[in-house]
Structure formats: C-alpha cells, structure tokens
Amino acid sequence: MSQEHTDPLSSSDDLSRFSISEPENALPRVGLDDVPEMLRAACARAGWTQLMPVQSLALPYLLAGRDIMVQSRTGSGKTGCYLLPMLPHLDPEVRAPQALVLVPTRELAVQVEHEAATLFADAGLRTVAVYGGVGYGKQMEALREGAQVLVGTPGRVLDHLLRHTLDLEALRVLVFDEADRMLSIGFYPDMKEVQRYLPRRRIHTCLFSATYPPHVLKLAGEFMSSPDMLSLSQKEVHVAEVQHLFCRVKPMEKDRVLVRLLETENPASAIIFCNTKANVHYVADVLKGFGYNADELSADLSQNKREAVLDEIRQGRLQYLVATDVAARGIDIPQLSHVFLYEPPEDHESYIHRAGRTGRAGAAGTVISLVDVMQLMELERIAGHFRIALRELPAPSEEDVAAAAGQRLVAILEARFRGLNGLEKVRAARYVPLARTLAGVSADGAAADGENLLLLAMLLDACHQQSLHETRFPDDGGDGQTRKERGRAGRGRRRRESARREEAGGTPSDGGPDAAQPVAAEGTERTGSGKRRRRRSRRSSGGNAARETVGTDE
C-alpha cells in the first residue's frame, strides 16, 4: 500500500504550496519521529517513510481527542490520518466496535478496511466493513467475532443496529469520511437515526472531506461539539476554498454533458451561467425536461418574479438556477455549492463575479466551466490573469451517470423500506415474483426481455424523479425530509422503539443517546383496567449527553 510520498511537494517538510487554516489554539505540527512508537510501527508496515501534510497537521488534534473537521483533497492521506490515532485509543482486549467510520460507498468501505488491516496488523485490532448490495451472513459473523473497528455505509450500519447484530455501547471514536458526499447523496436521515444508538457520553468525532459546502458546515454542528477546523487547500487567489475545474466539450454536446455533470456532482444547489437570454431559456427547459428542480432568472422576468425565484433557491426549494450575469449580479445564496459556466464569460472580471457566487463566507465551493477548444484558450487567459489554478475534469460517461444515480437510488429505496410497517412489507412482498420476472428469469425459465427491463427501469426512474424535487437542506425540523416523510419516519421510529422496549421487558429507553433530552413521541399502552392512557416516551434530539448540540447505504 503506497502513500504518495514520491512527490517532494507532498512531504510534511514542504507545506509552502498550501494555504493552511488552523484553529486559534493550534497545536504544533509533527513529523514521523514525533509520534508514538506504535504509530511509527504502523507506518513502517504500510511502507510510509514520512507523514503527509494533512497527517502532520491533524494528528496532534486527533491524538489529543479534539473534535475536528479536516479539509484536504482526495488522495492526500486522509484515511491514514484518522486510522493512525485510533491505535493508542482502542483496546484490543475489548471485542466490540470501539471506532465507527461512516463512508458513502461500498467501494470506499472496502478500501478503508484494506488500509486498516495493514496499519493494525500487529496491534490486535480487527476491522470489518459492512455495506449494502451483499448478504448479511459474513458481516454478522465478523461482528460476532468482535471487530474493534467498523467501517460501513450508514444504511447498512443502521440495518445491523435494527437487527440487534451490532451494539455501539463501547464506541469511542466516530469518523465521517467524505462528509460532503454523504450529506449531498442524502444519507443525512440515516446518520441521524444511527446517532440515536450512540452511547450517552462524549464520543471523539471527526469529519474528513475535500470540500465543506455551507449545508455540510451547518449539519456538522448536529454531530460535533465546538469542533475545530483544519483546512489545506492549494494556494490561489480570490477564494482559496473554491476549486476551479473545466470540462472539454464539443459545442453541440454541452447540454448532455451538463446533465451528466449534475448527476455525478449532485450539487446541493447550483447556478448555471449563460451569456445570453436565449441560452438561459434553452438550458432551463432542458433541465426541466430531465425532471430537475430548476428555474431561470433573466431580465425578461418582473422584479416580483425574480425575487420569488431567488427566495425559492435560498430556502432550498429550488435546486438549480439558470441565469445571465446581469440577472444574477449581487445575489447571495449561502447554500450554493456549485457554479457551472455553460460558456465562458465575455470578460475577465465576469469570471470572478460568477465564481464568487459559491465559496461564500469562507465555505468551500466548485466552479466547472464547459469549454470547447477556442473557449479553453480564453479560459486559460483568464486563469493566468488572476493566477487561478485550473484543473481538468473529464466529461462523465453514461456509465458514470448510471453508477452515481443508482447509488443514490439504492440508498433512497433502502431507507424507505426500513420505514415500512409489517403490513406494508407484506403488501410489497406480493410483487416479488413480478419483480423477479421483470429483472431476470420468469417462472418458466425464460430470460427477461428488453421491454420487461424497461418497465422496471421506468419505475426506478419515477422514484429518482421524485427524489430530485425533495429539499436538499434540513428545514426547521432539522432532518432534511419533507413534512410527510418526517411523519412516516417518526411512526417507523416509534414502532421500532416499542419493539425494543418489549424485548427489553418494558424498559422505556433504548440505551442510545435518546434519553438525553425529552422530546414528545406519543404512544399508547393498556392499563390494568383495560383502559387506554396516553404516555410520552423519552427521546433525545441526538448526540452524546456531554454535548449541548443536537447531536452523530446502501
């Protein structure tokens, strides 16, 4: 297993190319010789001869047990950064999960498990990865054998908690890897549900992400207590936290590539800039035709209509806004994570104006320009003028789009299934034979034909289209769901709480963090006289009892 130490600019001895933001009460940076012996031994097993910059900066905070949000680009050594400090904090004699790493995809779960197996090889610590799309048998067996480190997607972790095959009472460390992707994909409700099973005490919590859009920073406060922020970004002018990307596109393919980018990037919200009103109308119509929650902002709209559109996107009810420079000048959308340039601006200053719509108040953001050969030359001139570091982003393929959309859809469907009651599951089971026929082989052994597969694909697309119009930000309810979804989820939680209480012999609390604070959750029970009386069960609003915050796939 390698860590990109061959690049001299990646070493901890040369941090000059980074723009580094540290907490006010910053801790001294460390080198490999400064860390405990067990960490040096783990690095030696992995073949690491020195620490990466993010490791040199973050390890002191993690070893000290301080809650921290770390921002560093993908491939910079973040995985080793949060795994190494677990060594002195975890007890190999305790055969139960003491560290939980939540990740957005099964591929990342497997990758982290592999790296942990190398680093923890001689430390007596076992790691297990749990994720959707595979059976439960092997995962349950690994959990029974007593793994100290659990890596998993939120949905599958929650499934094991509901099945009572996982207990987090011994948990000491909680890690969110690629936090921006997890929250944008829509795992937030699952993570809040997992949070309810955490011990009623302080858990050392840290977040790692390449970017921290505003909505991620907002939600982080629900899982952490007064966290520190440590940021490493490439030095560039104007907004150091904004990454500037470009995608080579033929002029006639821009609309299709834009749609693919929206699927693979899955922005929390975005502005798509065009140079003309005609292109604004065209692009908005294309996005609406694909089912996206989009609208346009141009000089043709009345002031009242323009204010209404802006209010929609500020409140998270509108995801994509298509606009010209004139229409969008001066608008401030705090939750904006992405800016797309359907075509480069006609002057240098307009690029800075467009890029400045994201990365507001020090938050991270992404600017993606769609350019043909001639437009790329102009974009490079703009970048040279302002000393902006441009990076090429390959145009996503249809396979990339299918994988990204499918990943989100599986998470959505699994979450909905968990919210069904017994009768609803029985009702759904009636269609299993039909689903089997549509997806694979019918009862007479005939293979599914193309039309059957298209019928199934049509149903999945309908579910995907519905998800496109769900709010991307938690409202005052704080869970990112619609009012109808919150009601359904609340009923599901109450059913699960009732089942757990019955198993525990009527104990009113499930042992999670929910007993920390009372929240109204109505239920009914029979008294000795046979009459019904109302009672209110105790739930927390999340988090560990030591904290004052509201709280911490497939």
Side-chain angles (χ1 to χ4, degrees):
M1 179 175 57
S2 65
Q3 185 168 272
E4 300 173 6
H5 290 298
T6 54
D7 178 2
L9 291 179
S10 296
S11 73
S12 59
D13 297 326
D14 187 354
L15 296 172
S16 60
R17 69 173 182 142
F18 292 99
S19 175
I20 300 171
S21 175
E22 299 183 77
E24 291 184 3
N25 51 346
L27 296 177
R29 303 166 188 177
V30 297
L32 192 56
D33 295 335
D34 304 317
V35 299
E37 169 58 31
M38 62 175 61
L39 271 67
R40 293 200 298 272
C43 291
R45 286 192 293 270
W48 302 347
T49 58
Q50 58 187 349
L51 297 178
M52 299 286 276
V54 65
Q55 296 164 353
S56 174
L57 289 161
L59 280 176
Y61 301 93
L62 298 169
L63 289 170
R66 285 167 60 170
D67 285 6
I68 190 168
M69 295 185 291
V70 179
Q71 177 183 356
S72 185
R73 64 178 175 82
T74 301
S76 61
K78 295 193 298 292
T79 305
C81 189
Y82 61 71
L83 289 176
L84 284 172
M86 293 181 185
L87 284 164
H89 290 158
L90 306 187
D91 185 355
E93 299 299 321
V94 177
R95 303 185 66 80
Q98 300 168 57
L100 172 61
V101 182
L102 292 173
V103 298
T105 67
R106 69 186 75 180
E107 291 79 14
L108 183 55
V110 171
Q111 176 185 321
V112 174
E113 180 189 35
H114 175 73
E115 190 159 341
T118 302
L119 294 173
F120 300 156
D122 298 328
L125 300 176
R126 296 183 66 251
T127 304
V128 59
V130 299
Y131 44 85
V134 298
Y136 289 84
K138 291 184 178 180
Q139 296 177 4
M140 293 168 62
E141 181 180 353
L143 290 170
R144 282 194 298 268
E145 291 175 355
Q148 288 83 11
V149 181
L150 176 65
V151 185
T153 53
R156 183 51 66 99
V157 169
L158 181 56
D159 284 340
H160 281 289
L161 289 168
L162 294 174
R163 289 168 176 257
H164 303 287
T165 54
L166 172 62
D167 189 329
L168 298 178
E169 192 56 39
L171 198 70
R172 303 180 182 182
V173 180
L174 179 63
V175 178
F176 294 80
D177 196 355
E178 298 198 10
D180 56 345
R181 292 185 60 195
M182 294 173 68
L183 292 170
S184 67
I185 288 174
F187 289 145
Y188 173 76
D190 282 348
M191 291 193 294
K192 291 296 290 184
E193 192 77 357
V194 170
Q195 184 183 42
R196 301 176 57 253
Y197 291 85
L198 298 179
R200 294 166 56 191
R201 51 180 166 78
R202 183 184 181 275
I203 302 295
H204 178 209
T205 305
C206 49
L207 270 64
F208 286 79
S209 183
T211 61
Y212 280 93
H215 72 285
V216 175
L217 292 173
K218 176 182 177 182
L219 298 180
E222 301 182 19
F223 301 95
M224 311 175 79
S225 178
S226 302
D228 294 316
M229 169 63 87
L230 175 64
S231 175
L232 286 80
S233 59
Q234 301 293 325
K235 282 187 175 179
E236 52 189 63
V237 298
H238 297 287
V239 185
E241 293 79 8
V242 173
Q243 55 178 338
H244 298 261
L245 311 176
F246 69 90
C247 191
R248 299 175 191 261
V249 187
K250 295 178 181 178
M252 298 302 294
E253 296 179 359
K254 281 194 174 186
D255 50 1
R256 283 170 285 180
V257 172
L258 174 62
V259 169
R260 293 174 188 172
L261 285 169
L262 293 178
E263 285 290 349
T264 54
E265 291 288 315
N266 192 29
S269 66
I271 293 183
I272 297 97
F273 279 103
C274 301
N275 289 346
T276 66
K277 290 186 292 183
N279 279 347
V280 165
H281 298 323
Y282 172 74
V283 172
D285 285 344
V286 168
L287 297 186
K288 291 175 184 177
F290 272 89
Y292 294 113
N293 187 7
D295 207 340
E296 63 182 78
L297 197 66
S298 69
D300 290 343
L301 299 180
S302 67
Q303 186 62 34
N304 288 341
K305 174 61 176 175
R306 291 168 69 173
E307 288 298 326
V309 171
L310 288 174
D311 185 62
E312 287 286 304
I313 196 168
R314 289 191 185 106
Q315 297 299 323
R317 295 191 296 267
L318 178 67
Q319 189 178 3
Y320 301 134
L321 178 66
V322 188
T324 60
D325 287 320
V326 173
R329 189 161 299 277
I331 64 175
D332 184 9
I333 304 171
Q335 303 280 19
L336 199 70
S337 65
H338 283 64
V339 166
F340 292 88
L341 276 61
Y342 192 74
E343 47 204 339
E346 297 174 349
D347 62 85
H348 292 184
E349 295 297 333
S350 290
Y351 180 90
I352 298 303
H353 158 71
R354 294 179 177 185
R357 297 307 95 197
T358 187
R360 311 291 281 181
T366 301
V367 180
I368 302 178
S369 300
L370 279 63
V371 293
D372 58 26
V373 175
M374 297 302 295
Q375 291 170 339
L376 177 57
M377 295 173 61
E378 178 59 28
L379 184 63
E380 288 174 337
R381 281 194 290 269
I382 295 173
H385 179 77
F386 292 109
R387 294 188 299 147
I388 293 173
L390 280 177
R391 182 163 60 88
E392 182 169 5
L393 176 68
S397 64
E398 288 294 343
E399 291 75 16
D400 296 330
V401 172
Q407 184 184 96
R408 292 193 297 274
L409 193 53
V410 168
I412 292 169
L413 291 173
E414 288 188 344
R416 290 181 181 177
F417 185 79
R418 280 190 295 273
L420 299 180
N421 60 30
L423 290 177
E424 289 168 334
K425 288 182 179 179
V426 169
R427 194 176 70 205
R430 294 182 298 181
Y431 301 102
V432 169
L434 176 60
R436 184 179 295 116
T437 299
L438 293 175
V441 179
S442 61
D444 59 4
D449 59 30
E451 287 191 5
N452 281 349
L453 291 176
L454 283 174
L455 291 176
L456 187 58
M458 179 183 66
L459 294 176
L460 294 174
D461 179 64
C463 180
H464 179 242
Q465 291 294 316
Q466 180 184 352
S467 73
L468 293 177
H469 291 265
E470 294 171 357
T471 179
R472 294 302 176 104
F473 312 122
D475 58 12
D476 292 339
D479 58 5
Q481 297 171 292
T482 64
R483 187 174 291 108
K484 181 178 179 181
E485 291 169 329
R486 285 198 301 277
R488 186 187 304 121
R491 291 192 296 273
R493 283 195 295 271
R494 290 194 287 275
R495 286 192 294 270
R496 291 191 289 272
E497 289 169 359
S498 177
R500 285 197 294 271
R501 284 194 295 272
E502 289 178 7
E503 288 190 10
T507 303
S509 173
D510 62 15
D514 293 357
Q517 300 178 22
V519 174
E522 295 183 350
T524 60
E525 62 180 10
R526 290 191 179 275
T527 64
S529 62
K531 294 180 179 180
R532 286 187 178 272
R533 64 181 177 85
R534 304 296 291 180
R535 61 176 171 77
R536 304 177 84 85
S537 62
R538 294 174 65 83
R539 293 179 51 219
S540 81
S541 52
N544 305 311
R547 305 179 186 183
E548 296 181 359
T549 59
V550 183
T552 276
D553 60 324
E554 301 182 23

